[in-house]
Amino acid sequence: MSKHLRKLCKFDPLKCQVDKKQTTINFVGKGTDGKLQCGRFTKELGKQALAKMIIIDELPFSFVEKEVHYIDGEWNLQKRILNFEVISNHKGDTIGKMVESCLTTWGIEKVFTITVDNASSKDTNISFLKKENTKLGTCDYDSTIQVIRNVVRYVRSSPSRLAKFKECVKIEKLNVAGTVCLDVSTRWNSTYLMLESALKYRKAFNRLEEDGQYARFFNVGPSSLLNEVDAKKKYDVTRVGPPSDIDWDIAQAFMIFLKVFYEVTNRFLGSLYVTSSAYFHDMCSLHSHIDEYIESDDWRVSSMAMNMKAKCDKYWGNAEKMNPLLYVAVVLDPRYKLRCVN
């Protein structure tokens, strides 16, 4: 039989399905010196092999429907194939959409690594998945802030839109003082105040999505805006928005992180009290908060903290390069003297 399969049989599927354009590498059956042979995989051959496996091993038909991939009690990785999907073609975008669909179905939001072969289509596949980074769990803070900025800008752009927004606030029974404020994109302190005010009205913004004008504002393209009176205003031309739940969650994490810097900055800018003795303590407090945020269970906060620590260390990481007057001010404070600096 072995000799027949290797040399004589014209109907061996591994031989008759050879295709130079697209092949797979398979071990030839037992008793053939363990050689590898190229052959083309077809869905029909796969079904036949699957049926044969189920018959020989007396497996239930539901065997192919199970998902398992876990670490057992002995800390050994138990690997199981989670899914097989038939795709219409081997284009990178097609594969990427299928991977994204699987991740969404499984509820996987955080992706650490993706392992692929060296086919050129895989580059396109990875590029597609990177573009869909919000769905995969990576966060783009600039994009989120721009989304929040756009909805705030929309509400403040005309009296009628502001009136509609206030109706939504009343419907949601939000007992919040003040109103939403727009930031100056180059001043992060004002961005903090914008996020803080917008988050208080999160439910009202979600209610506003029922308004047709609000929906059209974000769904039309830039070329369709030329006839609008407010088209000349400084809106983001891509009209990104409205905020998704992920955007609001990112904004919440970002606001908590910025709050510490906002409070410290306000103390530094005080004009009715001495600030020189506060610098040292506040900088130590900032470093302490950043270290705490790095250990946060919220991966968004942890990611921001690591980036911020790298920037802080650039200016404040080496105590010998810091302005010695910061130490002098603490030493002259009778409550701390040299003990605090040490």
Side-chain angles (χ1 to χ4, degrees):
M1 176 64 76
S2 174
K3 180 180 179 181
H4 172 78
L5 286 174
R6 285 187 290 120
K7 297 182 179 180
L8 303 176
C9 183
K10 298 180 180 180
F11 301 100
D12 183 351
L14 291 178
K15 293 180 180 179
C16 66
Q17 295 291 347
V18 170
D19 186 328
K20 293 182 179 180
K21 294 182 179 179
Q22 181 180 348
T23 58
T24 57
I25 297 178
N26 303 294
F27 280 104
V28 182
K30 294 181 179 179
T32 57
D33 301 327
K35 293 182 179 179
L36 287 172
Q37 179 173 319
C38 290
R40 183 181 179 185
F41 173 82
T42 66
K43 185 164 63 173
E44 188 59 35
L45 288 176
K47 287 182 178 179
Q48 291 177 11
L50 179 62
K52 186 176 181 180
M53 177 185 72
I54 290 177
I55 293 171
I56 293 176
D57 293 336
E58 298 182 354
L59 299 171
F61 294 144
S62 61
F63 175 79
V64 296
E65 300 174 0
K66 296 180 180 179
E67 298 179 359
V68 185
H69 193 159
Y70 61 95
I71 296 177
D72 63 20
E74 302 298 325
W75 287 96
N76 295 316
L77 177 63
Q78 301 294 327
K79 293 186 286 187
R80 302 292 185 270
I81 294 174
L82 289 180
N83 204 4
F84 269 113
E85 290 288 348
V86 179
I87 54 177
S88 57
N89 57 63
H90 290 83
K91 295 180 180 179
D93 285 352
T94 304
I95 300 173
K97 289 177 182 178
M98 184 59 71
V99 173
E100 180 195 11
S101 175
C102 291
L103 294 175
T104 302
T105 301
W106 299 328
I108 295 177
E109 296 181 350
K110 303 175 185 179
V111 177
F112 186 66
T113 60
I114 298 178
T115 304
V116 297
D117 58 25
N118 61 353
S120 59
S121 61
K122 301 306 188 297
D123 295 334
T124 309
N125 175 15
I126 298 300
S127 298
F128 173 86
L129 293 174
K130 283 183 177 179
K131 287 190 295 185
E132 299 297 319
N133 59 7
T134 301
K135 295 179 181 179
L136 295 179
T138 59
C139 56
D140 183 347
Y141 305 111
D142 290 338
S143 175
T144 293
I145 292 173
Q146 185 61 60
V147 168
I148 304 295
R149 185 179 293 129
N150 281 350
V151 294
V152 171
R153 190 176 281 149
Y154 171 87
V155 168
R156 293 172 56 90
S157 62
S158 72
S160 60
R161 291 175 177 178
L162 183 59
K164 183 67 177 178
F165 179 71
K166 290 181 177 179
E167 288 181 18
C168 294
V169 173
K170 187 178 295 186
I171 293 174
E172 291 293 339
K173 299 179 181 180
L174 298 177
N175 186 20
V176 181
T179 185
V180 289
C181 61
L182 190 62
D183 72 330
V184 178
S185 59
T186 56
R187 300 187 62 182
W188 62 263
N189 268 11
S190 65
T191 299
Y192 162 76
L193 294 174
M194 179 188 71
L195 294 178
E196 182 190 39
S197 63
L199 282 163
K200 293 177 181 177
Y201 293 97
R202 176 175 178 173
K203 292 183 178 179
F205 279 115
N206 290 338
R207 171 75 63 173
L208 198 59
E209 293 184 22
E210 300 174 2
D211 179 53
Q213 185 181 10
Y214 182 75
R216 288 192 298 272
F217 177 82
F218 290 108
N219 290 336
V220 295
S223 60
S224 304
L225 300 176
L226 297 178
N227 295 326
E228 290 192 9
V229 175
D230 54 356
K232 295 181 180 179
K233 295 183 180 180
K234 296 180 180 178
Y235 294 118
D236 175 59
V237 293
T238 59
R239 298 290 179 125
V240 288
S244 64
D245 288 338
I246 293 177
D247 288 320
W248 285 117
D249 291 342
I250 292 175
Q252 179 70 38
F254 200 41
M255 186 204 71
I256 293 173
F257 188 78
L258 288 178
K259 183 178 181 180
V260 177
F261 294 88
Y262 175 78
E263 293 174 346
V264 169
T265 301
N266 281 343
R267 286 197 295 271
F268 283 177
L269 297 177
S271 59
L272 300 178
Y273 51 86
V274 178
T275 59
S276 58
S277 59
Y279 274 96
F280 184 82
H281 300 291
D282 283 333
M283 288 309 303
C284 290
S285 176
L286 277 180
H287 275 275
S288 176
H289 276 94
I290 290 174
D291 289 338
E292 289 179 9
Y293 289 145
I294 289 176
E295 301 298 326
S296 172
D297 293 333
D298 189 326
W299 62 272
R300 302 182 183 94
V301 174
S302 178
S303 175
M304 285 187 288
M306 286 188 286
N307 291 333
M308 184 58 72
K309 183 174 179 61
K311 293 182 179 180
C312 280
D313 287 346
K314 180 179 179 181
Y315 300 99
W316 301 92
N318 190 335
E320 296 179 357
K321 294 183 178 180
M322 289 173 60
N323 189 335
L325 287 177
L326 297 180
Y327 303 126
V328 173
V330 179
V331 172
L332 294 179
D333 189 326
R335 295 172 299 175
Y336 303 107
K337 298 187 176 181
L338 282 172
R339 173 175 52 84
C340 182
V341 176
N342 290 333

